[in-house]
């Protein structure tokens, strides 16, 4: 269904039904670690990028046909979802038709705006990110829209905690040599203490980023940071949550079976199988590392195809 993908195996939300509110790579950040590649539309403009009534219609259709409901309905996808001007209406309408918890993935960049905080109040879980406190580090990691100020973003997160009654799970993604020095960690400690999220989820780069110089932290380094950030901190790994392995295996098989029939570009696979590009990139990464498929440039376009050894 259009604008809907999954359910997919999520490290943080188990079986998650995704809703893509924003066109591909329309975002307020251009993060050096983003697995989707460089942001092509760096903006702070809030618009009804996709018709919200059509989103609700498709959610209703999905839920009516679903035999195994997801653990969460997640607003996220290929860009910054709070840039959608009708996100509040979408959350409210979903809450009217199902008891499945609604989660919002956000980079936190719009939370200093009172109207955005108000629109998110009906969600069950908000998962914002905060990768830096110093302005220079913020720019190095997130390459934000020129109008953004990290101090305003942190203040927005604090104000969200005061008004929001649901869960806040704050993610911090570390890049080796960029935002993992002692001073940055110390400032993050202070900011996190003031924001007071329910969980602090530590992450690092685990897929090829758009910037070749970006490297992950070792597990020992993450463990040391975890100790400094206190009891609420946890390291989120790539291991799937219990019960989600079957979801990944099924989606991976669908991609592989299609490529056994013919080579395809990423967009063609996405359209043919109804898999969001974000999730498809993860599946392609897994199949490539397993040695089952490879990428080939033909006529100025990249095609994915099955390796000869897998065509038996």
């Amino acid at each position: 269904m259009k604008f809907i993908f999954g359910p997919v195996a999520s490290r943080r939300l188990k079986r998650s039904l995704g809703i893509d509110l924003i066109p591909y790579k329309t975002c307020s950040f251009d993060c050096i670690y983003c697995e989707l590649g460089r942001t092509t539309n760096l903006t702070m403009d809030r618009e009804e990028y996709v018709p919200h009534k059509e989103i609700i219609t498709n959610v209703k259709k999905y839920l009516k046909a679903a035999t195994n409901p997801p653990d969460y309905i997640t607003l996220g996808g290929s860009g910054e979802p709070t840039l959608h001007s009708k996100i509040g209406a979408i959350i409210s309408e979903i809450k009217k038709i199902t008891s499945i918890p609604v989660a919002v993935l956000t980079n936190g960049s719009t939370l200093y705006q009172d109207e955005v905080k108000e629109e998110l109040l009906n969600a069950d879980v908000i998962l914002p990110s905060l990768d830096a406190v110093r302005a220079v580090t913020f720019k190095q990691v997130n390459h934000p829209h020129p109008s953004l100020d990290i101090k305003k973003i942190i203040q927005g997160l604090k104000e969200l905690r005061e008004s929001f009654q649901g869960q806040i799970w704050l993610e911090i993604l570390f890049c080796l040599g960029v935002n993992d020095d002692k001073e940055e960690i110390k400032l993050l400690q202070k900011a996190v203490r003031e924001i007071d999220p329910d969980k602090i989820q530590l992450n690092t780069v685990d897929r090829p980023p758009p910037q070749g110089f970006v490297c992950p932290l070792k597990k020992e380094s993450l463990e040391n940071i975890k100790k400094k950030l206190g009891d609420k901190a946890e390291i989120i790994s790539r291991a799937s949550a219990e019960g989600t392995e079957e979801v990944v295996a099924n989606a991976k098989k669908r991609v592989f079976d299609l490529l056994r029939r013919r080579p395809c570009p990423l967009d063609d696979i996405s359209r043919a199988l109804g898999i969001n590009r974000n999730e498809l990139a993860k599946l392609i990464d897994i199949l490539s590392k397993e040695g089952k498929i490879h990428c080939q440039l033909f006529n100025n376009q990249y095609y994915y195809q099955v390796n000869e050894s897998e065509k038996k």
Side-chain angles (χ1 to χ4, degrees), residues 180-233:
D180 60 333
D181 62 88
K182 291 181 180 179
E183 181 61 25
E184 197 67 54
I185 302 302
K186 187 176 180 180
L187 291 170
L188 281 166
Q189 278 180 297
K190 182 177 183 294
V192 166
R193 190 163 54 246
E194 294 172 352
I195 294 166
D196 192 27
D198 297 280
K199 295 182 181 181
I200 306 159
Q201 299 183 316
L202 310 182
N203 205 352
T204 191
V205 183
D206 60 15
R207 294 185 181 89
Q211 306 281 1
F213 64 86
V214 180
C215 297
L217 267 63
K218 292 182 179 179
K219 185 177 179 181
E220 310 90 82
S221 299
L222 284 175
E223 290 287 355
N224 288 334
I225 295 171
K226 176 177 176 288
K227 292 175 184 176
K228 292 177 182 178
L229 293 179
D231 294 339
K232 293 181 181 180

Side-chain angles (χ1 to χ4, degrees), residues 5 12 15 27 37 43 63 94 106 125 151 168-169 192-194 206 216 250 285 287-288 303 307:
F5 58 97
R12 309 165 78 187
R15 292 182 67 255
C27 195
T43 183
L63 293 175
I94 292 173
T106 174
V125 185
K151 290 182 180 179
I168 297 177
W169 301 349
V192 166
R193 190 163 54 246
E194 294 172 352
D206 60 15
N250 180 57
D285 181 51
L287 288 167
S288 298
Y303 285 77
N307 293 338

Side-chain angles (χ1 to χ4, degrees), residues 19 43 65 76-77 103 156 159 166 171 207 225 264:
I19 300 180
T43 183
E159 292 172 359
E171 181 181 19
R207 294 185 181 89
I225 295 171
C264 293

Side-chain angles (χ1 to χ4, degrees), residues 75-123:
L75 309 187
S78 304
E80 171 50 40
T82 63
L83 292 175
H84 196 292
S85 59
K86 298 288 186 181
I87 190 171
I90 292 167
I91 293 170
S92 296
E93 288 298 316
I94 292 173
K95 298 293 287 183
K96 289 177 184 177
I97 60 179
T98 181
S99 61
I100 298 170
V102 175
V104 180
L105 293 171
T106 174
N107 61 24
S109 62
T110 63
L111 295 178
Y112 68 90
Q113 300 177 29
D114 291 339
E115 65 270 22
V116 175
K117 290 193 289 286
E118 182 73 24
E119 289 166 14
L120 299 184
L121 292 182
N122 284 333

Side-chain angles (χ1 to χ4, degrees), residues 57-70:
T57 297
N58 286 345
V59 171
K60 287 178 178 178
K61 286 180 181 178
Y62 172 85
L63 293 175
K64 186 176 181 180
T67 56
N68 186 17

